[in-house]
Amino acid sequence: MEGSEGYPFNLPSYHLVFDDGKFCEEELNNPSTSWRSEEYPCNSNVLILDHHQGAHSQPDLRIVLLQPAVKVLLADQVRKSEKTMKILDSNRLIHPRKTVQPSKLDSEYVAPNHMDVSREALLKILTHYRIAPAACSHIRGQEQIYGSSTTHGSNGEIEAIQFWYAIRARAFIPYSAVAHESDLKITIITRYDVKARKTFVLLKYRSFNDLADVLKQELVEKLEEFIYAPSTKSTIADPFIPSILHFSSTIQYYRRAAREPRDGIRREERKAHNPATLHEIDLQRVHLNLASLDQDKIQLTFILGVITRLQRQHDEFYRLVMKQPNLEDRPWLWTRVEEEYDRFTNHISYCRDSVVDVAARADRLMNLTFNLNARLTSQQAVSENVSMQVIAIITMLFLPGTFVMGVFGSNFIAGPDREHKDTKLLVSSQWWVCVVVVISLTALVMGVWYFWRKNIMILYTLTHFPAIILQPKHVRGWAID
């Protein structure tokens, strides 16, 4: 296995115990066995940024950026909603101008799931810069774990260090009656050659839809500005510098994206405080916000863990590679990078706490809505129960009379005699017997019902609330057992 086709088994640092070559081959194969992996194109179209001392010298810092095509076009659909665009434009989450070709505005359009680098070119990059096999799952797969690798020479000295990870910048994009998420996965693979003191960075920006274009463009502009800035010369000695650019943009994106869910929950809370607008609460939108916020908590927690690992790796870099174990001997660059990591940690912790607070408010709002709806349903049931009680009482009042009149029939009152042309009603002299029996039976039925209901209530109270019955009663300050 010679050349790039032998990757990763042709790497001098390959070790069967620490490097899973078979898994790496499966990740880089074409076609891919995973629906999450992109297919390879025939030709490569990547962005290469070099910073070097002279036109013919090897670059001190090389950045290779992979930007696979998005799969689904949604930005133009979002732009059709003026209300949504006003919110997203004010928060700088999407470009107000159209970036899609008119021939591709069909909502059913789905782009090919392709990378922008061919398999041959990718293998050459991985082989030439001796990228660790474990990092390949970040290139084509969906891995987000933090990994690192240190290469030692025959004399035991460190020859190269590598570290790789992937973070996600997320935003909740509502439009019409459906909600979509702008999710940009930022993969960063960094390798530092100790002997040559040169840094290679392989970047990949991947998003399932085109809603994250504004962040991608912002990141590319920052990379180009960083590469061509004269001050870069004094900072490229630290291979951890490129990560700072991505963390800064990611934090700002989370901060801007958190405004709409927070304001949306506040609007729904105001509706809950007014009985007239209670039915207007959009539970579907609240639930979608809550689900998105839960994902934000996971991603922000992971980013905090990545920063912690980077700080530890950064310290080991100066202690083992730069041979500066004492903090006071380290240059200003180390202090400045650590200050930025501390700032990121504080900022992301605040963002996560804010997300947790908004998620808790959304959860309370949903519970409040369910409880209020249950209360209204209970009140309606009570009102219907009262109506049924009234109907039952009226029925009980007329039931004895109906029964008596049915028994005695027409024995008390006789109608007119048509044969003798007599128009008078004949009332029996014993009519009072009917009245007495009706009143007696009505009183008997009502009395039985009253005492039966009273005993049932006492039995229910003794069964479910015994403490109320057993506790002493207080009358004018005296306890009566």
Side-chain angles (χ1 to χ4, degrees):
M1 294 182 293
E2 298 178 358
S4 59
E5 287 297 329
Y7 179 85
F9 304 99
N10 57 358
L11 296 179
S13 60
Y14 179 80
H15 198 289
L16 181 63
V17 176
F18 304 109
D19 300 315
D20 193 343
K22 293 297 182 181
F23 176 74
C24 178
E25 277 189 328
E26 293 176 0
E27 288 290 334
L28 300 177
N29 276 342
N30 189 22
S32 171
T33 58
S34 173
W35 65 271
R36 297 182 177 183
S37 301
E38 304 97 336
E39 299 296 334
Y40 293 107
C42 298
N43 301 314
S44 301
N45 184 20
V46 300
L47 177 63
I48 301 178
L49 301 174
D50 289 341
H51 182 90
H52 48 74
Q53 302 297 330
H56 302 287
S57 63
Q58 292 294 326
D60 297 319
L61 172 63
R62 166 164 288 183
I63 298 177
V64 176
L65 175 61
L66 310 179
Q67 295 192 82
V70 296
K71 190 172 181 62
V72 181
L73 301 179
L74 294 173
D76 188 68
Q77 299 181 44
V78 174
R79 294 187 182 96
K80 295 178 181 179
S81 173
E82 295 182 1
K83 181 179 179 181
T84 303
M85 277 306 305
K86 183 178 180 180
I87 296 173
L88 299 180
D89 186 25
S90 62
N91 294 336
R92 295 172 56 200
L93 295 178
I94 189 172
H95 286 299
R97 62 181 182 275
K98 293 186 178 181
T99 57
V100 184
Q101 296 296 329
S103 60
K104 297 182 179 180
L105 296 183
D106 186 4
S107 60
E108 302 296 330
Y109 173 79
V110 177
N113 196 20
H114 281 175
M115 296 181 67
D116 55 354
V117 61
S118 65
R119 184 174 183 272
E120 291 75 17
L122 180 60
L123 289 176
K124 288 180 179 179
I125 293 174
L126 299 177
T127 303
H128 179 75
Y129 292 100
R130 301 180 181 181
I131 302 300
C136 295
S137 58
H138 288 64
I139 299 176
R140 292 194 72 198
Q142 291 292 310
E143 292 289 350
Q144 260 187 273
I145 60 174
Y146 182 95
S148 60
S149 174
T150 304
T151 304
H152 294 80
S154 57
N155 56 354
E157 293 292 328
I158 297 178
E159 293 184 346
I161 64 168
Q162 298 184 53
F163 54 92
W164 58 88
Y165 57 90
I167 57 177
R168 292 184 182 272
R170 305 179 68 259
F172 182 69
I173 308 294
Y175 78 96
S176 301
V178 187
H180 284 269
E181 292 179 351
S182 172
D183 189 331
L184 179 65
K185 180 188 175 186
I186 306 170
T187 301
I188 304 175
I189 301 174
T190 304
R191 185 182 189 276
Y192 179 77
D193 190 322
V194 177
K195 184 177 180 180
R197 295 186 178 274
K198 299 183 183 300
T199 303
F200 171 76
V201 181
L202 179 62
L203 298 177
K204 179 184 175 184
Y205 300 155
R206 183 189 184 187
S207 179
F208 184 77
N209 54 54
D210 60 342
L211 297 179
D213 281 346
V214 61
L215 178 59
K216 292 171 65 176
Q217 181 176 341
E218 179 182 335
L219 289 172
V220 174
E221 291 175 353
K222 282 191 174 182
L223 287 175
E224 293 177 342
E225 183 181 2
F226 169 71
I227 285 294
Y228 300 122
S231 59
T232 303
K233 179 180 178 181
S234 61
T235 60
I236 58 175
D238 193 321
F240 293 81
I241 289 294
S243 65
I244 294 179
L245 298 174
H246 295 87
F247 280 118
S248 181
S249 298
T250 301
I251 292 172
Q252 296 302 321
Y253 198 69
Y254 269 109
R255 182 180 61 83
R256 299 193 298 261
R259 296 171 183 170
E260 171 55 24
R262 178 193 60 201
D263 296 341
I265 296 300
R266 287 177 177 174
R267 290 192 296 267
E268 302 300 329
E269 284 178 334
R270 286 194 292 268
K271 295 178 184 178
H273 296 159
N274 186 359
T277 58
L278 180 61
H279 65 282
E280 298 178 1
I281 297 178
D282 191 347
L283 288 180
Q284 180 185 13
R285 182 57 54 83
V286 173
H287 181 266
L288 290 172
N289 270 323
L290 185 59
S292 179
L293 291 171
D294 288 339
Q295 288 296 320
D296 288 343
K297 287 188 291 185
I298 295 175
Q299 295 301 326
L300 290 171
T301 301
F302 176 78
I303 292 175
L304 286 175
V306 169
I307 294 177
T308 302
R309 292 292 304 273
L310 283 173
Q311 285 183 295
R312 187 187 311 168
Q313 194 86 9
H314 192 226
D315 179 74
E316 292 179 356
F317 170 76
Y318 275 89
R319 181 167 50 88
L320 301 177
V321 177
M322 305 301 291
K323 307 298 184 182
Q324 296 172 346
N326 299 323
L327 299 182
E328 57 271 14
D329 296 334
R330 296 177 183 179
W332 67 271
L333 188 57
W334 178 86
T335 304
R336 193 69 186 90
V337 171
E338 289 295 318
E339 289 174 347
E340 285 298 293
Y341 282 149
D342 290 338
R343 183 176 67 87
F344 294 156
T345 299
N346 184 267
H347 204 153
I348 294 178
S349 298
Y350 176 78
C351 289
R352 186 182 62 176
D353 293 341
S354 299
V355 167
V356 171
D357 176 67
V358 176
R361 291 170 59 181
D363 187 59
R364 290 195 299 267
L365 178 59
M366 294 188 66
N367 292 334
L368 175 62
T369 304
F370 292 144
N371 292 336
L372 290 177
N373 289 332
R375 181 181 177 182
L376 292 176
T377 304
S378 177
Q379 290 176 349
Q380 294 175 355
V382 170
S383 178
E384 295 177 357
N385 187 27
V386 171
S387 300
M388 294 302 297
Q389 286 182 357
V390 173
I391 295 174
I393 292 174
I394 294 176
T395 303
M396 291 174 61
L397 289 174
F398 284 94
L399 183 61
T402 304
F403 172 74
V404 172
M405 297 304 294
V407 173
F408 291 96
S410 59
N411 294 329
F412 291 96
I413 299 177
D417 190 354
R418 294 183 179 180
E419 294 181 0
H420 299 85
K421 297 182 179 180
D422 188 2
T423 59
K424 296 180 180 180
L425 289 175
L426 300 177
V427 181
S428 174
S429 60
Q430 304 296 325
W431 62 268
W432 58 270
V433 176
C434 178
V435 176
V436 172
V437 172
V438 168
I439 294 175
S440 302
L441 288 178
T442 300
L444 178 62
V445 171
M446 295 296 293
V448 171
W449 171 78
Y450 173 77
F451 286 105
W452 175 81
R453 184 175 180 274
K454 183 178 181 180
N455 291 332
I456 288 296
M457 293 299 296
I458 294 176
L459 181 61
Y460 178 83
T461 305
L462 287 173
T463 305
H464 295 83
F465 308 100
I468 298 178
I469 302 300
L470 297 178
Q471 67 182 2
K473 298 180 180 179
H474 295 271
V475 180
R476 294 184 180 179
W478 297 88
I480 302 177
D481 294 333

